[in-house]
Amino acid sequence: AASAVLIAYGHFSLGGWVFLFGSSFDFIDGRVARATGRVSRAGAFLDSTLDRVGELFFFSGLAVAYRDSWVLFAALVAAGASTVVSYARARGEAVNAGDMVKVGGMQRPERIVLTGIPCALSPIFDHFFGAGAGRSVVTVALTVLAVLTVFTAIRRTWSIYHALRSQDPTPAKLPF
């Protein structure tokens, strides 16, 4: 949430660093829970839910920052597609779709890197390429993220559907 507020007010670098820092805990929390014997289904549920909330906050901050630009739509598409990617995995796991739940390249770590790093490093681009270059890099990254995440959402949904369809018994044919 803090990164979203920073991004919304135009502090891309600090917001990016806060987002990367906060998101880095997601890479270790499961390991810590396993190492300390504190793994639980309730904890896994809460972790996954809060991951989505944090990601949506960040995209909301980007949407506010780009509210007067076409890039607003890239932020909204990226947010929606990211939610579908995560939801398809969770729902696919719930109905035993197997490894199809992991199809596609734009999973959460990739989305974090593709948004957080350009934001965090935006002042470097401004320094070397002129004022506004950092924001342009964030624009390109967000647009690429939106496109790739939509493709991942479509591919994952399609793959899970077909995996489940092949597991379903063939429906009886009607006599007419």
Side-chain angles (χ1 to χ4, degrees):
S3 68
V5 171
L6 290 165
I7 294 289
Y9 280 102
H11 303 289
F12 278 46
S13 182
L14 185 55
W17 285 114
V18 169
F19 180 63
L20 290 169
F21 178 74
S23 298
S24 68
F25 288 104
D26 188 41
F27 300 122
I28 60 170
D29 59 357
R31 289 182 180 97
V32 170
R34 283 187 292 281
T36 60
R38 303 187 82 189
V39 175
S40 71
R41 292 182 313 152
F45 166 77
L46 186 61
D47 178 52
S48 295
T49 301
L50 293 178
D51 288 348
R52 303 296 79 73
V53 170
E55 194 171 18
L56 289 174
F57 272 134
F58 189 74
F59 283 124
S60 297
L62 286 165
V64 170
Y66 285 108
R67 67 188 170 276
D68 296 325
S69 167
W70 65 267
V71 185
L72 165 68
F73 297 104
L76 295 174
V77 167
S82 295
T83 302
V84 171
V85 167
S86 298
Y87 176 79
R89 179 172 181 158
R91 189 69 181 119
E93 287 174 345
V95 294
N96 298 318
D99 287 337
M100 292 299 112
V101 300
K102 297 177 184 175
V103 166
M106 293 309 294
Q107 298 195 58
R108 187 158 189 270
E110 290 86 353
R111 296 191 306 265
I112 289 169
V113 168
L114 195 53
T115 53
I117 289 178
C119 287
L121 300 181
S122 61
I124 293 172
F125 295 107
D126 287 342
H127 177 76
F128 285 107
F129 301 106
R135 197 168 170 110
S136 295
V137 169
V138 173
T139 296
V140 170
L142 187 56
T143 304
V144 167
L145 176 81
V147 170
L148 293 178
T149 306
V150 164
F151 283 128
T152 298
I154 292 168
R155 183 172 175 221
R156 181 171 291 180
T157 301
W158 187 256
S159 297
I160 292 170
Y161 171 79
H162 281 286
L164 294 172
R165 184 83 172 131
S166 69
Q167 293 174 10
D168 287 342
T170 306
K173 292 189 179 195
L174 298 175
F176 47 90

